[in-house]
Amino acid sequence: MRQKIVAGNWKMNKTLDEAKALTSEVLQLVNAEVKGKAIVVLGVPFPYLVSLKDQLGSSSIKLSAQNSSQHDWGAYTGEVSALMLKSVGIPYVILGHSERRQYFGEDGKLLATKVDKALAAQLTPIFCCGEPLEIREAGTHEALVTKQVEEALFHLSAEALQKTVIAYEPVWAIGTGKTASSQQAQDMHAVIRKHIASKYGNDVASTISILYGGSVKADNAKELFSCPDVDGGLVGGASLKAREFVDIVKAIG
Ligand code: PGA
C-alpha cells in the first residue's frame, strides 16, 4: 500500500527535556488538528527513543531512528543495531541520509547491508538518495540517483522492496532554504518510480512511497505534496518547531 508519510528528522538537536516538550506539542496539535490519514513519524536521536515512545503511548505518531548498524550484535563500539531498535519497539529507521554519506563515508554497498538488517528486524527503512549541487549542474542527477537506488535496493525481493520507503533529498536543498521546485521534485520522483518499474513492474512501483526532502516548509509543502509522485516529506529544520511541522502534516490533506 502506497502511504502518505510526513517524517521529521531532528538530526543531532535537543536535550531530553526539549525533546519531550516538542513531542508533547506535536502530539497535542496532531490530535487537535490532523484529520488526514498521513502517517506522522518523528526521527529522533537514539537516547530519546525509549522515553519518547513511552510518552507517545498509543498515539498514532511513530518514531524513527536516524541510523542503524550493518551488524546485528558484537564488538562494534558505539553502534546501534536494527535488532536493538526493534527490541525497544521502534518501527522506522532513516538510512543513507546525505549527511551520513558525506561525513561518515556511507556508500551503496554498505547501505544495501543496512537496509537488509533493518528489514530482517522488521523495521521500515526510510532510504535516502539525492544528488549534490555539482551533479545537478552537470545534468547527471537522474543517473546518480537511479544508481543510488539500484545499489542499495535492487537486490531486494519485490516483497521486501514494498516494505521500504524512499526519500529523495537533493543535497543542495538540505538545510539551505533552497527547495527544489515542485516540477523538479515530481520529475525526479517519476524517474525513481519508473526505474523501479523497469525491474519490478508497474504494480510494485506504484505501491512505493517516495518522500521529498530538502527545505520543506509549511509554505511550500502543499505544492510539493500535490505532485502525483510525491507521497509526503522528510523534514529537517522545520520539524524542530511543532507549529510548522504540524502545518506541513496538514498540507498533505
Ligand atoms: P531540511 O533537512 O528540511 O532542514 O532541509 C531535510 C533532511 O535533511 O532530511
Side-chain angles (χ1 to χ4, degrees):
M1 247 290 279
R2 184 149 144 204
Q3 288 162 318
K4 303 269 186 206
I5 301 170
V6 178
N9 175 12
W10 291 6
K11 309 192 181 185
M12 198 173 74
N13 289 295
K14 305 283 176 195
T15 63
L16 177 60
D17 284 347
E18 289 164 352
K20 284 180 177 169
L22 176 56
T23 301
S24 139
E25 233 188 304
V26 170
L27 184 56
Q28 254 178 340
L29 290 171
V30 164
N31 285 343
E33 300 176 12
V34 175
K35 305 280 175 267
K37 290 204 173 64
I39 298 174
V40 180
V41 179
L42 303 179
V44 312
F46 286 133
Y48 310 150
L49 284 165
V50 171
S51 147
L52 297 187
K53 185 176 176 346
D54 289 346
Q55 185 180 342
L56 287 167
S58 60
S59 132
S60 61
I61 297 176
K62 308 286 183 209
L63 286 171
S64 177
Q66 299 172 12
N67 179 33
S68 58
S69 173
Q70 68 272 36
H71 303 290
D72 287 334
W73 308 105
Y76 301 102
T77 302
E79 287 292 278
V80 172
S81 72
L83 289 169
M84 292 174 171
L85 295 172
K86 178 68 183 172
S87 79
V88 293
I90 300 306
Y92 289 86
V93 60
I94 298 168
L95 290 176
H97 190 280
S98 65
E99 287 148 17
R100 303 276 336 155
R101 293 177 190 262
Q102 187 180 345
Y103 305 129
F104 303 96
E106 297 196 357
D107 61 13
K109 191 159 170 269
L110 176 79
L111 290 168
T113 311
K114 289 192 173 201
V115 166
D116 285 344
K117 293 296 183 188
L119 288 168
Q122 295 169 302
L123 303 188
T124 300
I126 301 175
F127 169 76
C128 304
C129 55
E131 80 286 356
L133 184 61
E134 61 274 18
I135 297 288
R136 168 67 63 164
E137 284 174 348
T140 51
H141 45 290
E142 292 184 2
L144 179 83
V145 171
T146 50
K147 181 163 168 269
Q148 288 173 333
V149 169
E150 213 172 296
E151 282 176 345
L153 302 181
F154 272 25
H155 63 289
L156 297 174
S157 67
E159 196 192 343
L161 184 76
Q162 287 175 292
K163 294 181 177 142
T164 304
V165 172
I166 295 175
Y168 167 61
E169 299 202 302
V171 179
W172 46 271
I174 295 177
T176 57
K178 195 177 155 193
T179 184
S181 67
S182 54
Q183 192 60 53
Q184 286 173 319
Q186 167 56 28
D187 287 350
M188 186 58 92
H189 284 226
V191 163
I192 294 170
R193 203 178 299 284
K194 207 166 137 216
H195 198 59
I196 293 170
S198 72
K199 179 170 164 73
Y200 295 92
N202 276 324
D203 286 355
V204 171
S206 67
T207 65
I208 309 286
S209 299
I210 308 179
L211 316 184
Y212 169 79
S215 297
V216 178
K217 304 273 184 283
D219 61 8
N220 59 27
K222 214 174 182 78
E223 198 184 331
L224 286 161
F225 296 165
S226 67
C227 300
D229 284 293
V230 176
D231 304 306
L234 181 56
V235 184
S239 72
L240 297 171
K241 290 170 247 154
R243 178 72 270 168
E244 174 100 10
F245 180 65
V246 175
D247 282 345
I248 293 170
V249 173
K250 285 162 75 180
I252 207 158

